[in-house]
Amino acid sequence: MPLLEVEELSVHYGAIRAVDGISLTVDEGEVVALIGANGAGKTTTLRAISRLVPCQGRLRFAGRDITPLRPHQVAALGVVHVPEGRGVFPRLTVMENLELATWNRRRDREGIRRDLRRVFDLFPRLEERAHQPASTLSGGEQQMLAIGRALMMRGRLLLLDEPSMGLAPLLVREIFQVIEAIRRTGTTILLVEQNAHAALRLADRSYVLETGRIVLQGPAEQVAGDPRVQEAYLGA
């Protein structure tokens, strides 16, 4: 049984159909990439899975129908969303941002300490800036904080929306190295990313979206070798 099953998912914004009847699966331990141009429906798909936008179709997580659930209920089950634009709380310190993510496990103090150590091992700069407001961080550091906050929730499925957006090439490489390290811990990842080169190198499988529909899917290496993908997204 896949960890995540999306069946005939459709999302409308007024008269605009942003996602048009797509189906996809993510197996436990996989990294699955959603690639496509701006406006293809990638971010909307993640927002629907997190139950942040109304949708039609069916969503199952670990065999449970999560379609009727609210966002906080989905998060409590282990679906953790790192949104496009990072979404950190700018007036709170780095530590306060991380602590907010433990809202559903306050009594697990030892586990929280272990997870905090893990986040600081992955992102030493966050430990250095632990008592600074998040607003004082660079864009790359805010992305690190957003991912670190997600890890503090101990999610089984990590939804990553454009983690490299707006970052310098050196930081992009660093962020993807961290995503690879997270993957090695067994965390399942559904990745939305415009940097198709980086996404397809990291992913096990990939889906290509165009105007709300899946037009290609398969093993990431196979998708990367498709002439349409090479021309449209890889600059070949």
Side-chain angles (χ1 to χ4, degrees):
M1 178 187 299
L3 182 63
L4 175 71
E5 299 173 89
V6 175
E7 297 180 357
E8 295 296 323
L9 177 70
S10 294
V11 180
H12 295 79
Y13 295 126
I16 299 172
R17 180 171 289 189
V19 177
D20 188 6
I22 70 169
S23 297
L24 61 86
T25 61
V26 182
D27 292 334
E28 192 138 20
E30 270 195 316
V31 175
V32 173
L34 296 180
I35 65 173
N38 280 334
K42 307 184 303 297
T43 290
T44 298
T45 297
L46 295 195
R47 287 174 59 81
I49 293 168
S50 294
R51 306 310 302 117
L52 294 170
V53 295
C55 68
Q56 297 172 318
R58 178 169 291 182
L59 305 165
R60 289 193 187 91
F61 177 69
R64 176 174 176 175
D65 185 358
I66 63 170
T67 317
L69 300 187
R70 297 175 65 85
H72 71 278
Q73 295 171 313
V74 174
L77 290 175
V79 179
V80 182
H81 192 160
V82 181
E84 180 183 11
R86 292 130 200 172
V88 301
F89 295 96
R91 295 185 180 180
L92 300 183
T93 66
V94 168
M95 184 66 78
E96 288 168 339
N97 269 271
L98 295 173
E99 289 173 342
L100 273 178
T102 64
W103 60 272
N104 63 336
R105 44 188 291 246
R106 294 287 188 183
R107 296 181 180 179
D108 183 21
R109 294 183 180 178
E110 183 57 35
I112 290 171
R113 280 195 292 269
R114 285 196 303 269
D115 292 342
L116 188 61
R117 184 69 261 157
R118 175 193 177 200
V119 168
F120 286 157
D121 286 344
L122 283 170
F123 300 114
R125 271 173 282 181
L126 294 185
E127 186 169 20
E128 295 169 7
R129 293 156 173 73
H131 302 293
Q132 292 181 212
S135 61
T136 66
L137 303 182
S138 69
E141 289 164 349
Q142 288 189 18
Q143 185 64 70
M144 294 173 190
L145 178 55
I147 294 174
R149 188 177 59 190
L151 295 177
M152 292 297 293
M153 293 183 67
R154 281 194 181 176
R156 291 180 65 187
L157 173 63
L158 193 58
L159 307 179
L160 289 178
D161 193 357
E162 302 285 6
S164 74
M165 178 178 287
L167 301 185
L170 186 62
L171 279 174
V172 171
R173 287 194 294 272
E174 185 174 344
I175 289 294
F176 273 91
Q177 287 170 358
V178 168
I179 296 171
E180 175 60 38
I182 295 168
R183 177 224 195 127
R184 289 196 295 269
T185 68
T187 302
T188 307
I189 299 172
L190 180 57
L191 171 67
V192 161
E193 179 56 60
Q194 277 197 297
N195 185 334
H197 279 287
L200 292 172
R201 280 197 301 267
L202 179 69
D204 297 297
R205 293 187 299 113
S206 181
Y207 295 86
V208 180
L209 270 66
E210 290 182 5
T211 59
R213 296 180 179 180
I214 292 172
V215 296
L216 184 65
Q217 61 180 290
E221 185 176 355
Q222 177 182 318
V223 170
D226 188 283
R228 293 168 292 176
V229 171
Q230 291 186 351
E231 181 178 358
Y233 306 110
L234 302 180

